[in-house]
Amino acid sequence: MDDVVKNSDTATRNSKDVDELIFYRFVIDNVPCAVVTVDSEFKISSMNPWAEKLTGYSSKEAIGRYCGDILRGGMCNVHCPLKEAMQGVQAAVRIDTTIQNKHGETIPVSMNTAALLNEKRDLVGGVEAFQDISHLKALEREKANLISMIAHDIKTPVVTIGGFARRLLKKDLDTDKEKQKQYVEIISGEATRAELLVNDFLEFSRLEVGALNLDFGPTSLDKELIELLKTYEPKALKRGIRIEIASPKSLSIIDADAKRLRRVFTNLLDNALKFSQDKGTVTIAIQERENDITVKVTDQGVGIKAKDIRYIFEPFHQIQDRGEKQGFGLGLAIVKAIVKGHGGRILVESEPGKGSAFSVVLPKPKKLDFTPA
């Protein structure tokens, strides 16, 4: 009888162990990063589907081979992080490095390594978990380049202002009032240009430290948009672009920072005009629903490629293939932060060659329920 009970307990434990192994395998296969395990001799013992995709090798091709032969990591022959972890130098090692896939492409990765120990604390192998950080590295390079470009662009108006100011200060300056007026207008225009660049960076720095303070108050959204439309119409007419606004007769008052919202729609209209073809149309469509108001700014411009849309609101991301009309990538990042600060969201739809549509969805104030209990 005792043997039957023991056998039953053993079978139960074995069944439980199998279930746990199946569950762990399920988790590893579905965790959203590449996972490679090795035995105590650094030979690959398993790879999850994400690792197969990133390295270009199937599990069948990789298992039994040295991990260095498959991953060809940038630190393999210099300072192997997995070896450090498995030799007990550190419990776990995190490092940004590179791997080389089956096709010879170098991929920057963020890698975490750790030793695998059994219940007796004996070394049985190691694990490497890593993610492709190509986009982050590209953004870092782009950010460095853009900072250099912006410093150059700020220097340009400053030098221009200085040059024309010195002309005005010259004692032998021609007393022609028209020329003096022309110089002052140039100085004013260049000062405005420099101010806009500086404001973008100040705003961005506030966003980086979470210090974007919004001054909420009752705001008439349709009034703000109509006033903004009047400002932009002369600029649009010079290029034969029509700006149309489609709105209900009156909108509900919302609780918002009117100044910052104006910044949002100024940026969207600037972009719509900047990337529009001459003699096109920019449409501002407003829709009010029970809980929110949506403002959709649509242009008939060059559009945005699908590969750029997912990064369009990231700081320092520039849209490629837009000729000389590229920005510094701060405007839309600031726009998103302002909209998010209002409890709203911003959406984008675009098709290359046909234009783009940015939709700002802003919540309406919640109605208080005064129904007697």
Side-chain angles (χ1 to χ4, degrees):
M1 184 69 178
D2 290 341
D3 290 341
V4 172
V5 172
K6 287 179 181 178
N7 289 338
S8 176
D9 288 344
T10 301
T12 301
R13 283 198 301 272
N14 289 340
S15 175
K16 185 179 179 182
D17 290 343
V18 170
D19 288 344
E20 286 182 351
L21 285 172
I22 291 172
F23 174 73
Y24 292 146
R25 184 75 258 172
F26 171 79
V27 171
I28 291 172
D29 283 349
N30 287 278
V31 71
C33 73
V35 179
V36 174
T37 61
V38 301
D39 61 21
S40 57
E41 296 180 349
F42 296 91
K43 290 183 178 180
I44 292 175
S45 53
S46 73
M47 290 177 73
N48 74 348
W50 289 78
E52 291 181 315
K53 183 178 179 182
L54 196 55
T55 64
Y57 290 96
S58 67
S59 292
K60 188 176 180 180
E61 292 175 299
I63 289 175
R65 295 175 63 180
Y66 287 107
C67 63
D69 294 339
I70 296 297
L71 299 181
R72 291 178 283 178
M75 303 295 289
C76 279
N77 299 319
V78 183
H79 194 65
C80 176
L82 183 58
K83 188 176 288 185
E84 278 198 2
M86 289 174 63
Q87 291 177 346
V89 178
Q90 295 185 57
V93 180
R94 186 202 170 280
I95 193 169
D96 285 352
T97 182
T98 61
I99 64 168
Q100 201 172 80
N101 68 15
K102 185 179 180 180
H103 312 293
E105 299 168 329
T106 299
I107 303 169
V109 295
S110 176
M111 180 173 286
N112 292 275
T113 64
L116 293 176
L117 307 174
N118 63 17
E119 293 178 355
K120 296 179 181 179
R121 308 298 294 173
D122 295 326
L123 179 70
V124 295
V127 59
E128 296 175 296
F130 48 97
Q131 289 180 304
D132 183 351
I133 55 171
S134 300
H135 178 64
L136 292 177
K137 291 297 181 182
L139 278 180
E140 285 177 9
R141 291 192 298 272
E142 205 166 89
K143 180 177 179 179
N145 290 336
L146 286 171
I147 288 173
S148 175
M149 288 168 60
I150 294 174
H152 176 269
D153 270 32
I154 291 176
K155 181 181 176 181
T156 301
V158 169
V159 170
T160 303
I161 289 168
F164 281 100
R166 283 189 291 273
R167 289 190 191 184
L168 287 171
L169 290 170
K170 279 186 177 179
K171 294 180 180 180
D172 58 345
L173 178 69
D174 189 340
T175 55
D176 183 349
K177 297 293 183 183
E178 189 60 36
K179 185 173 286 188
Q180 290 184 29
K181 181 184 176 185
Q182 182 184 357
Y183 289 172
V184 170
E185 286 175 349
I186 291 172
I187 289 172
S188 177
E190 292 298 309
T192 300
R193 179 182 166 193
E195 183 183 7
L196 290 173
L197 284 168
V198 171
N199 283 344
D200 268 357
F201 266 94
L202 288 174
E203 197 88 334
F204 176 68
S205 65
R206 293 188 192 106
L207 297 180
E208 288 283 88
V209 297
L212 180 65
N213 296 317
L214 299 175
D215 185 14
F216 286 89
T219 302
S220 172
L221 195 56
D222 47 351
K223 177 177 174 289
E224 293 293 332
L225 288 169
I226 289 169
E227 287 181 2
L228 199 59
L229 180 63
K230 290 177 181 176
T231 303
Y232 275 84
E233 275 182 333
K235 186 191 298 186
L237 287 172
K238 286 183 180 179
R239 293 178 51 199
I241 297 173
R242 288 184 301 125
I243 302 180
E244 298 178 349
I245 186 164
S247 169
K249 289 184 178 179
S250 62
L251 297 171
S252 299
I253 299 296
I254 63 170
D255 193 28
D257 184 328
K259 183 180 177 182
R260 295 298 178 91
L261 277 189
R262 183 177 279 262
R263 172 72 183 272
V264 167
F265 296 114
T266 293
N267 182 281
L268 295 182
L269 279 171
D270 276 338
N271 284 344
L273 292 178
K274 186 189 298 183
F275 299 116
S276 282
Q277 307 293 345
D278 289 349
K279 300 182 180 179
T281 301
V282 172
T283 305
I284 304 170
I286 307 171
Q287 181 184 12
E288 180 170 356
R289 292 186 291 260
E290 182 180 355
N291 297 317
D292 56 47
I293 297 175
T294 299
V295 181
K296 188 174 186 178
V297 180
T298 306
D299 64 59
Q300 297 174 328
V302 296
I304 306 165
K305 290 183 177 179
K307 68 181 178 68
D308 284 306
I309 285 182
R310 62 184 294 191
Y311 305 119
I312 195 72
F313 297 108
E314 290 192 9
F316 299 103
H317 180 77
Q318 283 185 306
I319 300 174
Q320 303 300 317
D321 305 322
R322 283 199 168 192
E324 298 299 318
K325 297 184 178 181
Q326 295 182 6
F328 294 115
L330 291 178
L332 286 176
I334 294 169
V335 162
K336 182 180 179 180
I338 293 172
V339 173
K340 189 176 178 182
H342 281 78
R345 62 189 189 278
I346 183 165
L347 312 169
V348 59
E349 306 165 71
S350 189
E351 188 175 344
K354 294 189 176 180
S356 305
F358 287 83
S359 298
V360 176
V361 184
L362 297 167
K364 290 164 61 174
K366 292 182 179 179
K367 294 180 180 178
L368 297 177
D369 186 0
F370 293 106
T371 306

